[in-house]
Amino acid sequence: MAKKLTRAEKMRRFFEKNPEMTVAQVATEFGVTYQTAYMVKRTMDRKARVAALVASLNGSTKDKVSGLTPEQTTEKVFQATQGRDRRLPEFPPIPSAATPVGIDATLAERGTKYGKFADQAAVTYKLKNVLREHSGVHGKSYAYDQAEALDMICAKLGRIVNGDPDYADSWVDIAGYAKLVSDRLQTGKRV
């Protein structure tokens, strides 16, 4: 009876048969995350580099000392180094099947920081309307960067009052948008 192939093995074979396919295309083809497809491709690339190194050092079909074939030596070296290659970036471990992946996980994580989106949207919309009405009454007009900074600051304020007020990134973002406009006004740098 033939051994059932794992999804990673099927992806590896697919990569081998379709070298022109990108990691993103293979991820879509197999319905996995980009990271999962990347890890399979990275492992393949590492094994190929180890095999090339072993072949260049070995030159024969069997190692004279160990009696191993180049393929066996490649696997042994790969396992001994746990496939590490410092030229490639390390990603965090792939989440287990119990961990939500994708947009649902992102939305759940954001909800803990910013509260319900509908509530945050209502607060942000009202803040922007107050600024627009007041600007209109007083005949104010803004440069593109000023108008966008005000909109983004309103969005961040909406997140703060609707969600976690102790989440520092929201405060840092507000300071960042204000600094971008301030820098341009004071020095002419950044747009």
Side-chain angles (χ1 to χ4, degrees):
M1 187 169 127
K3 182 176 120 176
K4 186 175 178 183
L5 297 177
T6 64
R7 183 168 40 183
E9 185 61 22
K10 290 175 185 175
M11 288 170 57
R12 185 190 66 74
R13 288 184 178 184
F14 188 82
F15 270 122
E16 289 173 347
K17 289 179 182 175
N18 304 284
E20 74 286 351
M21 297 287 280
T22 67
V23 171
Q25 290 170 324
V26 173
T28 302
E29 177 78 21
F30 282 86
V32 298
T33 63
Y34 179 90
Q35 182 181 12
T36 300
Y38 177 83
M39 297 298 278
V40 170
K41 178 71 168 146
R42 186 174 73 169
T43 300
M44 289 175 56
D45 292 346
R46 286 178 177 164
K47 284 187 176 182
R49 283 194 294 275
V50 170
L53 175 64
V54 168
S56 70
L57 296 174
N58 210 343
S60 69
T61 57
K62 283 199 172 194
D63 185 283
K64 293 177 177 113
V65 177
S66 68
L68 299 174
T69 65
E71 293 78 22
Q72 292 168 324
T73 305
T74 298
E75 190 60 34
K76 190 173 183 178
V77 169
F78 184 79
Q79 294 302 324
T81 61
Q82 297 176 351
R84 291 192 185 99
D85 184 341
R86 296 298 174 208
R87 292 178 293 170
L88 295 172
E90 291 296 323
F91 282 94
I94 297 170
S96 70
T99 305
V101 178
I103 193 68
D104 291 333
T106 300
L107 292 174
E109 185 254 334
R110 299 278 164 81
T112 63
K113 294 176 184 163
Y114 308 132
K116 290 183 180 177
F117 176 70
D119 296 340
Q120 184 264 323
V123 170
T124 300
Y125 184 81
K126 290 174 184 176
L127 285 171
K128 289 178 181 182
N129 273 343
V130 167
L131 294 178
R132 286 187 187 106
E133 286 174 17
H134 188 79
S135 297
V137 167
H138 294 283
K140 300 270 184 186
S141 63
Y142 303 100
Y144 292 130
D145 64 333
Q146 292 170 322
E148 183 63 16
L150 287 170
D151 277 355
M152 294 305 295
I153 289 170
C154 286
K156 301 304 175 176
L157 288 171
R159 286 177 168 187
I160 290 168
V161 300
N162 187 61
D164 180 2
D166 296 325
Y167 183 57
D169 273 5
S170 295
W171 297 99
V172 170
D173 287 346
I174 290 171
Y177 291 118
K179 181 156 178 42
L180 289 169
V181 173
S182 173
D183 284 354
R184 182 186 58 82
L185 295 173
Q186 291 177 356
T187 65
K189 295 179 184 174
R190 293 187 183 158
V191 180

